[in-house]
């Protein structure tokens, strides 16, 4: 991939599990136990972080290309504590296909959705499963505004 544009200063990444929905956190911890060489590289995401990631492949690029189609944090489950990105602790994003399949199998075994199953493959991405949609709807943003994260978590049964 070509590189272009001046990369902005990176925006802080949240890797902690403490901001995740309680039921989702427990399932991510189970995935980490099942795949011991996996590490969490991102959980909760701010608007600033989402804008930074959305710029890749559009306004600037370091060779990775487009990394997200979501323009704002409200358009991603990371903002709601219902998504996490996991990679191999040594190989990081360069892990072999077999490792990613192991991660996906562990996520699916917990009833979670794995981004490696999508058309736009997002191998590190794991998010809460049913009854949640693939991407947040305006009703998720309304719930967040009126009742905070706990209201969203209750609505998708992840409290």
């Amino acid at each position: 991939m070509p590189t272009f544009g001046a990369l902005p200063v990176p925006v802080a990444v949240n890797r902690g599990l403490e901001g995740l929905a309680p039921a989702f956190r427990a399932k991510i911890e189970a995935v980490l136990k099942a795949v011991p060489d996996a590490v969490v590289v991102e959980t909760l995401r701010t608007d600033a972080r989402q804008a930074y990631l959305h710029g890749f492949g559009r306004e600037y690029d370091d060779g990775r290309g487009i990394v997200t189609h979501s323009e704002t944090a409200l358009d991603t489950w990371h903002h709601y504590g219902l998504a996490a990105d996991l990679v191999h602790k040594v190989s990081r994003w360069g892990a072999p296909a077999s490792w990613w399949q192991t991660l996906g199998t562990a996520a699916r075994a917990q009833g979670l959705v794995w981004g490696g199953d999508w058309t736009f493959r997002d191998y590190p991405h794991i998010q809460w499963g049913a009854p949640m949609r693939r991407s947040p709807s305006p009703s998720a943003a309304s719930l967040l505004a009126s009742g905070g994260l706990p209201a969203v978590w209750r609505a998708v049964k992840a409290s």
Side-chain angles (χ1 to χ4, degrees):
M1 281 238 138
T3 61
F4 60 89
L7 291 178
V9 174
V11 177
V13 178
N14 185 330
R15 294 178 177 87
L17 299 182
E18 60 279 349
L20 299 178
F24 180 59
R25 177 181 178 166
K27 289 178 181 271
I28 288 296
E29 288 170 341
V31 170
L32 290 167
K33 186 174 181 179
V35 188
D37 52 357
V39 294
V40 175
V41 292
E42 188 156 11
T43 54
L44 286 175
R45 191 175 290 163
T46 63
D47 280 322
R49 174 81 178 152
Q50 188 65 34
Y52 169 77
L53 293 173
H54 190 262
F56 281 94
R58 294 176 179 87
E59 302 166 32
Y60 42 82
D61 205 345
D62 60 0
R64 68 179 97 175
I66 291 175
V67 298
T68 182
H69 293 296
S70 300
E71 289 188 50
T72 73
L74 288 173
D75 296 330
T76 173
W77 288 117
H78 282 281
H79 190 63
Y80 300 87
L82 292 162
D85 292 338
L86 281 64
V87 299
H88 188 277
K89 68 180 174 184
V90 175
S91 303
R92 312 293 282 178
W93 287 265
S98 60
W99 187 86
W100 292 114
Q101 291 302 318
T102 299
L103 181 68
T105 298
R108 283 188 229 100
Q110 292 298 318
L112 301 173
V113 173
W114 177 51
D117 289 328
W118 297 340
T119 303
F120 176 73
R121 306 263 188 240
D122 189 354
Y123 294 106
H125 186 86
I126 298 172
Q127 67 184 40
W128 186 250
M132 211 167 73
R133 300 164 30 120
R134 180 172 166 185
S135 297
S137 68
S139 64
S142 294
L143 279 171
L144 180 66
S146 64
L149 290 175
V152 177
W153 298 344
R154 282 190 301 275
V156 298
K157 300 175 178 43
S159 294

